[in-house]
Amino acid sequence: MISIETKLLLSNPLFKNIPESSLSELLHLDHCIIGSYKKNTVIIQEGDSCNNLGFILSGSLAAQQISTDGEILTMNMYESTDTFGAALLGIEQPQFPFTLVTTTSCQILYIPFYEIRQLLKFSPVFNENYIAFLSSRVMNFKEKLKMLQYKDVRSRIIYYLSKEFKKANSTDIVLQHSKIEIANILGIARPSLSRELKHMYDENILQVNGNKITLLKPELFFI
């Protein structure tokens, strides 16, 4: 049986309100495997078959899609205790719609779909959690589509920072992603991001100091 910190799993929304004492009865960890990866490793290619749920025990991942002209668009960022592959469980021949790349060194627990089906069958709590989890993923995807409706670079930056503004509840924002990651999330080139941030600084809209941004005109970020 593999050894993991079960509290990491229980901190995941899928295992919310499931007692730690019940986890070993519900989930056979000896059927699971752990993968360890270095930063900037492609662990899954778009189109690969999917037979497991991935639980990130440590580190972070980016779900990316490459356009026909070679541009990289980051569709989602997965952090420690997050999950990927959940929406593919009910598909007859599940394939990953995105490429997954580690943005830090990473450890991932892979739980086979047949184990997840057993959890859904025997745990009403897990069943409810799974439905809520999928619903939240739909809303996240909706937010991504909304961001992509903004065609110019500044509008996408303002949209991104408006979300961070709400999370921080402060005009002082500590960025959780690198500028390369932000550019990928916004679907723009890194030089375009830096250039537009410089224009916004010159116009006294914001200040940038390393990974910290201060919004000088917060009214522009109420979206």
Side-chain angles (χ1 to χ4, degrees):
M1 181 174 177
I2 63 175
S3 176
I4 65 166
E5 177 56 67
T6 54
K7 285 184 172 60
L8 287 173
L9 278 182
L10 295 174
S11 65
N12 185 282
L14 288 175
F15 290 94
K16 179 182 177 182
N17 296 326
I18 294 179
E20 186 172 2
S21 58
S22 301
L23 188 59
S24 60
E25 299 175 6
L26 293 168
L27 178 62
H28 300 94
L29 288 174
D30 53 337
H31 295 170
C32 307
I33 60 173
I34 289 179
S36 298
Y37 309 95
K38 295 180 180 179
K39 182 180 178 180
N40 296 326
T41 300
V42 176
I43 64 169
I44 291 168
Q45 292 276 10
E46 180 179 348
D48 285 352
S49 61
C50 176
N51 300 301
N52 306 275
L53 256 64
F55 289 81
I56 302 175
L57 300 176
S58 64
S60 58
L61 298 171
Q64 298 179 342
Q65 198 163 51
I66 303 176
S67 65
T68 53
D69 56 2
E71 289 189 6
I72 297 175
L73 178 63
T74 298
M75 301 303 295
N76 201 3
M77 295 293 296
Y78 298 103
E79 309 292 341
S80 179
T81 73
D82 208 341
T83 308
F84 59 87
L88 301 176
L89 178 64
I91 298 176
E92 186 174 348
Q93 293 182 325
Q95 295 179 320
F96 282 99
F98 309 118
T99 294
L100 294 180
V101 183
T102 60
T103 54
T104 66
S105 58
C106 205
Q107 265 202 336
I108 300 171
L109 174 71
Y110 295 99
I111 303 180
F113 276 165
Y114 62 80
E115 282 289 328
I116 299 299
R117 291 189 179 96
Q118 288 295 100
L119 284 166
L120 290 169
K121 183 177 180 180
F122 293 109
S123 175
V125 174
F126 185 84
N127 213 314
E128 291 179 7
N129 290 344
Y130 206 89
I131 294 171
F133 182 84
L134 293 179
S135 298
S136 69
R137 282 288 187 258
V138 170
M139 296 306 297
N140 289 342
F141 189 64
K142 180 182 177 181
E143 287 294 319
K144 187 69 177 184
L145 291 177
K146 185 176 179 181
M147 185 274 292
L148 293 176
Q149 291 175 357
Y150 295 98
K151 301 302 181 183
D152 61 286
V153 174
R154 177 169 296 196
S155 294
R156 291 191 180 186
I157 293 173
I158 288 176
Y159 184 79
Y160 173 84
L161 291 177
S162 73
K163 298 299 178 184
E164 297 303 304
F165 180 24
K166 290 177 183 176
K167 289 180 188 176
N169 194 29
S170 170
T171 54
D172 292 322
I173 300 170
V174 178
L175 298 175
Q176 302 302 308
H177 305 119
S178 69
K179 288 182 180 176
I180 292 177
E181 291 170 345
I182 292 172
N184 290 338
I185 290 170
L186 299 181
I188 59 179
R190 164 68 189 276
S192 298
L193 172 65
S194 297
R195 186 165 51 250
E196 192 57 42
L197 286 174
K198 176 64 166 55
H199 291 331
M200 295 171 78
Y201 171 83
D202 292 340
E203 295 171 27
N204 207 35
I205 294 174
L206 51 75
Q207 288 182 338
V208 182
N209 183 15
N211 68 336
K212 180 180 176 182
I213 287 182
T214 300
L215 305 180
L216 302 178
K217 295 183 180 179
E219 65 274 8
L220 297 178
F221 299 88
F222 288 113
I223 297 178

